Amino acid sequence: MEDKGHVLLKLLSTYARILEAYRDRIDRLNVFPVPDGDTGTNMFFTIRSAVDVIDAQSGSEQSQSGSAGRFKEISKGALLGARGNSGVIMSQVVAAFCSVFGAHSDQPVTAKDVESALEEANTRSRGAVLRPVEGTILTVISDVAKRAKSLGENLDLGDFVRGLFDEAQASLERTPSLLAPLARANVVDSGGAGFVLFVAGLCRILSNGDFDWGTDRPFLFESRVPGPTRSKEDDFVAPSESHELGPRYEVMFILESHDENVMVNFREVWAGLGDSIVVVGQDGTYNCHIHTDDIGGSIEAGIAGGLLSRIRVTDLFEEIAEERWVVEAHGAGAPDPFSAETDVIPNTAVVVIANGDGIRRIFRSMGVHRIVQGGQSMNPSTEEILLAIEEVPGDNVIVLPNNTNVTPVAQIAAEISKKCVRVIPTRGVVEGLSALVEFDPMVSIDENFESMSECAKRVTVAEITQAVRDYSDESGLVHAGDFIGLSRQGLVAVSKSLEDTVVDTIGKLLEDDSEIVTIIEGEGSTSAITREITQWLNINFPEIEVELHHGAQPLYPYLIGIE
């Protein structure tokens, strides 16, 4: 058996590869059937940050597995790179294994080492969460830690870790019975699923080849409990406005503070601002996570406690995973082939956030000065938007975030910038395009802000996408593979036919005074379907003008705007 140091390095590298392969499936374990989660992606980048430290250490004096401080650096890498609630918790699992396996790292791994690491992981992860909730990744970690203790350290190591893997799967399958939203959505906990894959990686390393991933693969995405049923004949209705969805925003940042009393006060302030609070630290560096409706108060509490960096705000109600963007997008603020270049210094410049080659070309043609590439769940950081603001010509800048997920981050960038920056909270690409109709670079920022804001408000927007799993609640019945139309009020239409879904969505959103319908084609659209949609509009609503654009946006075959 290899020594603990090398086993840990192999475990983290193996886990990163497993997460990379399965992160999209974990992302889809959500309470709504669109491809709108990022738990798997967050966990992958958390572990990837630890592996990056390992790679950077390779060839250095610290490349010896027993070098002092090596495992502490790996642990801190996971901490600083942690994203999302599950990512922060997973960074504590990494910290626990680094602590236990890093001690006497030149000695062989034993079942007792694994038991101790899991016990410490359970203690660290629960200690980091202000109000632990059962039915989440915390429960799966606890159950596996308890199982490790009951199995006993005298069991063969391979049998020991396979027993842990069996318990991890069983615990994951129980999560819907412990957490009502999971039961209603008919899914298991996504963070727990990510931890099951960690235990699978442990089995791969410690089973001496006896763990067959092809045979023993956990049916993570087949585990379901009976969900609520609804007749196909039932009408689709918008979700009740009184339905409590919890805090709207996820706020994360790195806080530098070496005063424990300050951190105690910080935790107390946050306790009154939201939930899903996770604060974990090492050597005065803390990764802080909260779900809240008070973005400003949450950030101000951090400023009062120390130095902030890596501020990240996500709108949980609008979170949409755009996996391809994670791979393809280059840093915002870098030279952008779609940005407008001009020698004239405008009175007002515009920065937009957009994804899709066609959409960026449209924005460029409308005089936008800088385009920050970004999507929804993987929204650009404050620093990226700030860099774009600073690079555009002139001292007055309007930002069009084109997504409620990005708006809070853009507002923070506006506050930090020394320029005069105004953010128009456009909720989608169509609103952004509509606002730009009124843009005049040679008039004042106040005039532009007023006219562009009014124009954006006049647009009704809808998105057409495809459900990734079955779903049923008061909004309607959806099956995996169905095309669904979503407006700001919720589910509007559903059908097996993409064309029927688009037509039904437009028909339900048209008003007596509607004049223009804008259709933006994305990936998955076809010229034949687009032609049928436009013909339907021309026949049934001849007075309405139809504008057609090719946006090439991922995940959404059609974006709709009605003015």
Side-chain angles (χ1 to χ4, degrees), residues 283-335:
D283 298 334
T285 301
Y286 295 85
N287 194 318
C288 307
H289 172 283
I290 186 174
H291 289 177
T292 182
D293 288 318
D294 188 352
I295 299 171
S298 299
I299 293 175
E300 287 170 4
I303 293 173
L307 179 64
L308 298 192
S309 62
R310 303 192 189 185
I311 299 171
R312 181 183 177 92
V313 180
T314 301
D315 186 330
L316 299 173
F317 292 4
E318 291 291 329
E319 194 173 47
I320 302 294
E322 295 181 356
E323 299 95 338
R324 201 180 75 172
W325 178 82
V326 178
V327 178
E328 295 180 352
H330 60 263

Side-chain angles (χ1 to χ4, degrees), residues 177-238:
S177 67
L178 299 173
L179 199 57
L182 296 177
R184 287 196 298 267
N186 215 17
V187 295
V188 294
D189 179 67
S190 55
F195 181 72
V196 171
L197 295 182
F198 176 80
V199 182
L202 196 63
C203 284
R204 273 191 170 184
I205 302 301
L206 297 180
S207 289
N208 295 321
D210 292 336
F211 180 74
D212 186 344
W213 179 251
T215 301
D216 297 334
R217 177 181 300 175
F219 294 99
L220 300 177
F221 316 107
E222 303 298 329
S223 301
R224 299 291 183 267
V225 295
T229 59
R230 187 179 178 90
S231 168
K232 290 184 178 180
E233 287 72 30
D234 287 346
D235 292 331
F236 293 99
V237 296

Side-chain angles (χ1 to χ4, degrees), residues 272-513:
L273 293 178
D275 58 27
S276 294
I277 298 170
V278 184
V279 180
V280 296
Q282 178 177 323
D283 298 334
T285 301
Y286 295 85
N287 194 318
C288 307
H289 172 283
I290 186 174
H291 289 177
T292 182
D293 288 318
D294 188 352
I295 299 171
S298 299
I299 293 175
E300 287 170 4
I303 293 173
L307 179 64
L308 298 192
S309 62
R310 303 192 189 185
I311 299 171
R312 181 183 177 92
V313 180
T314 301
D315 186 330
L316 299 173
F317 292 4
E318 291 291 329
E319 194 173 47
I320 302 294
E322 295 181 356
E323 299 95 338
R324 201 180 75 172
W325 178 82
V326 178
V327 178
E328 295 180 352
H330 60 263
D336 189 332
F338 299 107
S339 62
E341 300 294 342
T342 176
D343 294 330
V344 179
I345 303 299
N347 286 331
T348 306
V350 174
V351 171
V352 305
I353 288 80
N355 194 17
D357 290 351
I359 288 175
R360 294 197 296 273
R361 289 191 184 95
I362 298 169
F363 278 126
R364 178 188 60 178
S365 71
M366 299 183 77
V368 168
H369 296 84
R370 179 66 70 191
I371 298 174
V372 179
Q373 295 195 60
Q376 292 173 299
S377 72
M378 294 304 296
N379 49 280
S381 68
T382 304
E383 291 84 355
E384 289 170 333
I385 297 176
L386 179 61
L387 180 59
I389 291 171
E390 299 304 320
E391 287 188 345
V392 297
D395 296 324
N396 302 300
V397 184
I398 285 178
V399 180
L400 302 177
N402 297 327
N403 191 298
T404 55
N405 209 29
V406 180
T407 297
V409 183
Q411 290 171 335
I412 294 171
E415 294 172 4
I416 296 173
S417 176
K418 295 180 180 179
K419 293 186 177 183
C420 176
V421 183
R422 307 288 292 275
V423 177
I424 299 176
T426 48
R427 297 169 294 179
V429 168
V430 178
E431 285 189 10
L433 294 174
S434 180
L436 284 168
V437 171
E438 296 294 327
F439 173 58
D440 184 345
M442 302 317 295
V443 304
S444 71
I445 188 171
D446 289 336
E447 291 177 272
N448 271 309
F449 181 80
E450 182 177 355
S451 61
M452 293 171 70
S453 296
E454 286 301 316
C455 196
K457 291 176 183 177
R458 293 196 293 266
V459 182
T460 299
V461 298
E463 301 162 334
I464 311 299
T465 188
Q466 194 166 23
V468 296
R469 59 171 173 78
D470 293 347
Y471 174 78
S472 177
D473 71 357
E474 66 270 21
S475 300
L477 176 66
V478 178
H479 295 290
D482 287 350
F483 290 98
I484 54 179
L486 301 170
S487 73
R488 297 307 173 193
Q489 286 70 47
L491 186 64
V492 177
V494 61
S495 172
K496 297 293 183 184
S497 164
L498 175 56
E499 176 188 338
D500 290 347
T501 303
V502 177
V503 167
D504 194 17
T505 299
I506 295 174
K508 289 181 177 179
L509 295 179
L510 283 173
E511 302 285 351
D512 292 339
D513 59 351

Side-chain angles (χ1 to χ4, degrees), residues 48-120:
R48 182 67 247 181
S49 296
V51 174
D52 285 344
V53 174
I54 295 173
D55 293 342
Q57 292 173 343
S58 179
S60 69
E61 292 182 359
Q62 288 190 325
S63 62
Q64 299 300 317
S65 63
S67 296
R70 180 175 198 188
F71 298 103
K72 196 172 185 178
E73 285 193 8
I74 294 171
S75 173
K76 191 167 185 177
L79 173 69
L80 293 177
R83 299 189 184 191
N85 191 36
S86 294
V88 174
I89 291 172
M90 202 63 219
S91 75
Q92 294 308 285
V93 175
V94 173
F97 273 76
C98 283
S99 174
V100 174
F101 280 43
H104 307 292
S105 59
D106 58 342
Q107 297 180 3
V109 177
T110 66
K112 181 61 177 177
D113 293 323
V114 178
E115 177 191 335
S116 298
L118 288 169
E119 182 179 2
E120 184 168 337

